Amino acid sequence: MGFFDKLKSGLTKTRDSFVAGIENAVYGKKKIDAALLDELEELMVLADLGVETAGAIIREVQEKVRRQELTDASLLKKEIKDQILGILRGDTGTFGAGRSGGESLSVYLFVGVNGTGKTTTIGKLAAKFSAEGKKVVLAAADTFRAAASEQLVLWGERAGVDVIRHKSGADPGAVVFDAIAAARAREADILLVDTAGRLHTKTNLMEELKKINRVIERELPGEPSEVILVLDATTGQNALSQAKLFNQAVGVTGIILTKLDGTAKGGIVVAIASELGIPVKMIGVGEKQEDLQIFNPDEFVEALFE
C-alpha cells in the first residue's frame, strides 16, 4: 500500500463523519439557507477544524451567496474543499536539507509533550537522512526521562548514527553543547535534538526549552534551522493548545503531525494552518519509517474528500 492509500485509509473516520456529513446535509437541497450553514459549521467544528476556522469558511460562503456567486447547495462540498485547500497551501518549505561536506551544520530542535511520538519521529528522520547520504548526530536532551535517552540510542543504532547523551537528570543545555561540539568534530550535516516533554510544571519545561535554544544560538548563530513541534493528531483541539503554548515559548517553525491514521480529528491539520500559520511539514500515518512523509496539501485534501 502506497502512502496516499495509507493516508486515505487513515482519514476514513474523519471522512465518514465530516465529508459524509456535508453530503447528507446538502442532499436533495437547492437553497443555501441559515439552517444549512449552521449545520455545516457544526460539522467542521466536530471534525476539529476549530471554531475560528469553521466560522471563517462559513463567512466566505455567506459572502459568495450574497454576491450570487454560489447559488446551489450541491456546490457547497466543492466550495468547502477548495477553501480548505487554500488554507493548507501555504509554504510548507523544505525540511532536513542540510549542507554536505561539513560546511555548515543544520540543527533541528524537536519539542512536544510526552506521548506524541517525538523520539520515534526523530529516529525515523535520522534513518531517512542517513539513507540520503547525510551525516547525522542525535542529541538526547530529554534527560528528565531515562527511557527517552535509551530509546534514542536504539534508534541511533538502527540508523547507524551517533547519539550524544549524559546521565539521567543532567543539564539538557550541557548535552546540547556537547552534541554541537561532537557534530562539528564529525563534520556532520544535521543535528537532531530531542527534548523533554514533561517537567514538574509547564513553566519549568518552557524555561528549559528556552535555555536549550539559547545554547544553540550562542554556539551556532542563526540556528536552530527549525524548531519542530511534534503533535498527536488524535488529541484534536488539545494539539492546537499545545502548539500555541510551545510557539509562544520557543517560536515553532514547523509541525510534524503523528497518528493521523485512525482518528476522526483529521481536521486539526486545517485548524493549525489557519489559526497559527505554522506550516505542517510532515505527517505520520503508521509505525513504519516510510509512514512518515512530507506533507502534501493537495494529497491530503484529495484523500479526505475522495
Side-chain angles (χ1 to χ4, degrees):
M1 186 186 288
F3 185 74
F4 179 78
D5 292 325
K6 283 193 174 184
L7 178 60
K8 187 178 174 183
S9 175
L11 289 171
T12 298
K13 287 184 180 179
T14 306
R15 185 168 55 250
D16 286 350
S17 61
F18 174 50
V19 180
I22 294 174
E23 291 169 348
N24 290 336
V26 302
Y27 181 74
K29 293 180 183 175
K30 286 286 184 184
K31 186 182 177 184
I32 302 173
D33 56 22
L36 176 56
L37 293 181
D38 284 347
E39 186 176 351
L40 292 175
E41 186 170 5
E42 184 179 353
L43 284 167
M44 284 186 266
V45 172
L46 290 173
D48 272 289
L49 271 78
V51 174
E52 287 184 33
T53 307
I57 290 173
I58 292 300
R59 285 192 295 275
E60 180 65 22
V61 169
Q62 288 171 326
E63 182 60 23
K64 288 192 174 185
V65 171
R66 188 187 66 80
R67 295 198 303 259
Q68 295 189 323
E69 295 172 8
L70 190 61
T71 56
D72 193 327
S74 64
L75 299 174
L76 281 169
K77 178 183 171 183
K78 182 181 184 301
E79 172 63 25
I80 292 170
K81 177 182 177 180
D82 289 346
Q83 284 203 46
I84 287 174
L85 187 56
I87 290 168
L88 293 176
R89 270 183 174 163
D91 179 25
T92 54
T94 56
F95 182 70
R99 296 185 185 88
S100 60
E103 295 172 6
S104 181
L105 174 65
S106 294
V107 182
Y108 296 88
L109 180 64
F110 289 81
V111 300
V113 302
N114 288 344
T116 58
K118 175 164 49 68
T119 304
T120 299
T121 296
I122 293 169
K124 289 177 180 177
L125 286 171
K128 177 182 181 292
F129 296 147
S130 185
E132 291 171 357
K134 297 183 177 74
K135 194 159 190 179
V136 183
V137 172
L138 305 181
D142 182 356
T143 59
F144 185 75
R145 189 170 60 99
S149 180
E150 292 163 7
Q151 187 184 1
L152 200 65
V153 168
L154 285 174
W155 275 108
E157 289 172 353
R158 286 182 203 166
V161 304
D162 292 335
V163 180
I164 308 304
R165 62 184 295 199
H166 287 190
K167 68 180 187 300
S168 182
D171 176 15
V175 176
V176 173
F177 179 86
D178 286 352
I180 290 172
R184 278 172 159 164
R186 292 162 173 75
E187 295 190 337
D189 303 302
I190 295 171
L191 173 62
L192 305 178
V193 181
D194 192 12
T195 65
R198 177 178 65 87
L199 288 176
H200 301 300
T201 66
K202 283 182 181 177
T203 304
N204 203 356
L205 169 60
M206 296 307 164
E207 289 306 314
E208 199 64 64
L209 292 175
K210 288 177 186 176
K211 181 180 175 183
I212 290 171
N213 220 15
R214 288 196 296 271
V215 169
I216 296 170
E217 289 174 347
R218 186 181 68 233
E219 295 303 307
L220 290 164
E223 295 293 338
S225 299
E226 298 267 16
V227 178
I228 300 295
L229 173 62
V230 182
L231 292 173
D232 178 346
T234 65
T235 61
Q237 286 297 302
N238 191 35
L240 186 64
S241 299
Q242 290 170 29
K244 289 176 180 176
L245 193 65
F246 280 97
N247 192 38
Q248 288 167 2
V250 286
V252 175
T253 61
I255 285 168
I256 293 180
L257 203 61
T258 65
K259 307 178 188 179
L260 255 177
D261 48 316
T263 177
K265 301 176 182 289
I268 194 62
V269 176
V270 187
I272 288 167
S274 174
E275 295 186 31
L276 298 180
I278 302 171
V280 175
K281 299 273 185 176
M282 303 184 85
I283 53 175
V285 292
E287 296 299 319
K288 297 178 181 176
Q289 183 187 323
E290 60 269 23
D291 294 336
L292 180 69
Q293 295 283 341
I294 297 292
F295 178 64
N296 182 312
D298 294 79
E299 276 191 2
F300 178 84
V301 173
E302 198 59 40
L304 178 59
F305 278 84
E306 190 174 300

